Amino acid sequence: MTTDPTDPTTPVAPDDPMGSTGSTRRMPTVDRAGGDPGPPDPGSPPDHEPVPTLDQGGGGRAGRFWSARRVPAALLALVLLGAAGLLLYDIAAVRAGHPAMQWRRSLADGLAERQLDDVAVLVGAGVAAAIGLWLLLLALTPGLRDLLPMRRDRTEVRAGLDRTAAALVLRDRAVEVPGVQSVRVRMGRRRAKVRALSHFRGIDDVRTDLEAVLARAVGELGLAKPPGLSVRVDRPARKG
């Protein structure tokens, strides 16, 4: 028996999703809540899944990024390596019967003759203490102050936003407000200072619109700790 492919009454094989006429057939979708198949959504295309929304604060604590401190660590390692190598060579030379180096004899004689209240001793101790405090500060602080941590929506992903880029985003949003002539944004870790010049409209109206637009823009940045806003609107200086 032959069948006419143009006949709408012609049966289509269930294992052929395209059918003999070449038309597409929607496949059943899976209900995320219960796992049961349900009817396809006529408003969404069958080939694309809905874009997942970000779960705020669901991926863990978003702390600051720690700097590797490669340059200070490399400099300190080179200084200590050179001093240890020179001292070890001098000790080995003395053990072999050679006299000690002149710098070590002069240093030992100077330390034996100078008093603790001597100016050179106090200056040297102060410099050593300052270097030690600086190294401790570098070791105990995160650094990377220009990198603002973003919300951790996924545990395995950490993201950061440069402060300069965040300031540019806020500036671009601010210049779109009617009445704003120019904007200067200074982005900090805790506060964003916005200084705008308005050449028309009332200053209070421009400030109100700026605060609303910038508050929405700060929320869209996705920062873990959104900074506060400090908005100031002035008139441009008169020429002449």
Side-chain angles (χ1 to χ4, degrees):
M1 180 180 65
T2 61
T3 60
D4 186 8
T6 63
D7 188 3
T9 61
T10 302
V12 180
D15 56 348
D16 184 9
M18 298 298 294
S20 59
T21 61
S23 60
T24 60
R25 182 163 59 95
R26 295 182 182 272
M27 302 299 294
T29 59
V30 178
D31 187 8
R32 295 178 181 269
D36 300 328
D41 186 6
S44 60
D47 299 332
H48 299 82
E49 295 183 356
V51 179
T53 57
L54 297 179
D55 183 16
Q56 297 183 3
R61 180 177 178 271
R64 290 180 57 186
F65 291 86
W66 281 75
S67 175
R69 314 285 193 187
R70 292 185 178 90
V71 175
L75 292 178
L76 180 62
L78 289 176
V79 171
L80 293 179
L81 181 62
L86 188 61
L87 182 61
L88 181 61
Y89 173 80
D90 190 47
I91 293 175
V94 172
R95 293 290 184 179
H98 299 280
M101 292 185 178
Q102 180 64 33
W103 67 267
R104 195 154 73 96
R105 294 198 302 266
S106 301
L107 180 61
D109 295 339
L111 293 177
E113 296 175 357
R114 293 182 182 273
Q115 302 294 327
L116 294 178
D117 56 353
D118 189 77
V119 177
V121 175
L122 294 178
V123 171
V127 172
I131 294 176
L133 290 177
W134 177 64
L135 294 175
L136 287 177
L137 183 65
L138 293 180
L140 298 177
T141 54
L144 298 179
R145 297 177 61 88
D146 291 337
L147 196 60
L148 302 175
M150 303 180 70
R151 289 192 301 265
R152 296 194 66 179
D153 300 310
R154 298 180 181 274
T155 307
E156 65 277 5
V157 177
R158 291 192 65 193
L161 182 63
D162 188 76
R163 285 199 295 178
T164 303
L168 290 177
V169 171
L170 297 183
R171 189 196 65 180
D172 292 342
R173 295 295 181 87
V175 296
E176 296 176 357
V177 176
V180 174
Q181 181 180 11
S182 62
V183 180
R184 184 177 60 184
V185 180
R186 183 179 179 183
M187 192 73 178
R189 292 192 299 114
R190 295 182 177 88
R191 182 167 294 275
K193 297 182 180 180
V194 182
R195 301 294 179 263
L197 296 179
S198 176
H199 57 296
F200 71 93
R201 293 184 67 196
I203 291 182
D204 295 336
D205 297 336
V206 175
R207 183 186 299 109
T208 301
D209 293 345
L210 271 177
E211 290 176 351
V213 170
L214 293 177
R216 184 166 58 253
V218 169
E220 293 174 354
L221 291 177
L223 299 177
K225 295 181 180 179
L229 284 173
S230 175
V231 181
R232 179 179 174 182
V233 181
D234 297 321
R235 293 294 187 190
R238 294 183 179 181
K239 297 181 179 180

